[in-house]
Amino acid sequence: DIESVFGIKISAATLPEIGERRIRIAFPSGAKMTIVMSDEGKWQNAASFTSADGGALNEFIAVLHGSMEVALPGVRERPHIDYYRVGEVATIDAQQTHATHPTKGSIVVGIMSSDWEGATRNADPEFDAEIAVTER
């Protein structure tokens, strides 16, 4: 039992609304690693995050298979979209509104430091709507 021996919790979830399967590994320090398998290639819901202690929240997302896009607020209400290929790593300041889009069939791994312990998610439906109408 890995949880009782090492304090590492492993969970799995299916998110049919965005066509993803996820495996999350939570470490005793609060650090997290999430493996995302994108079955349908949909945008994840946009959000920003706030740390429990007001510190920085970074996320590193490595593309293991396929490709991924990351949308950030741009100029004149138009999102800025960066593209990442296999082997590339996106570094995201999670305190800034962002959304990720692993393309269909992609596998990406998100790594979050222990600063994420107690972090809160702040949804941004307006940015979701902007992404939906942005040409790529």
Side-chain angles (χ1 to χ4, degrees), residues 58-96:
N58 292 314
E59 183 174 5
F60 306 94
I61 305 173
V63 181
L64 298 184
H65 180 78
S67 61
M68 175 184 72
E69 296 172 314
V70 176
L72 302 167
V75 293
R76 295 187 211 114
E77 304 298 321
R78 292 187 50 86
H80 172 79
I81 299 174
D82 290 321
Y83 181 79
Y84 296 88
R85 292 179 173 84
V86 171
E88 293 184 318
V89 178
T91 302
I92 298 171
D93 174 355
Q95 292 177 324
Q96 179 180 28

Side-chain angles (χ1 to χ4, degrees), residues 112-132:
M112 295 158 273
S113 70
S114 57
D115 297 338
W116 282 75
E117 184 66 28
T120 56
R121 183 179 188 281
N122 311 300
D124 193 336
E126 289 178 17
F127 192 63
D128 284 331
E130 291 173 18
I131 293 166

Side-chain angles (χ1 to χ4, degrees), residues 26-110:
F27 297 91
S29 67
K32 297 174 185 170
M33 182 167 47
T34 303
I35 302 166
V36 174
M37 294 155 279
S38 179
D39 296 325
E40 297 180 29
K42 294 182 180 179
W43 281 99
Q44 296 175 356
N45 294 333
S48 62
F49 295 83
T50 305
S51 67
D53 64 3
L57 289 176
N58 292 314
E59 183 174 5
F60 306 94
I61 305 173
V63 181
L64 298 184
H65 180 78
S67 61
M68 175 184 72
E69 296 172 314
V70 176
L72 302 167
V75 293
R76 295 187 211 114
E77 304 298 321
R78 292 187 50 86
H80 172 79
I81 299 174
D82 290 321
Y83 181 79
Y84 296 88
R85 292 179 173 84
V86 171
E88 293 184 318
V89 178
T91 302
I92 298 171
D93 174 355
Q95 292 177 324
Q96 179 180 28
T97 295
H98 63 282
T100 57
H101 173 248
T103 55
K104 184 175 182 175
S106 294
I107 301 171
V108 301
V109 176

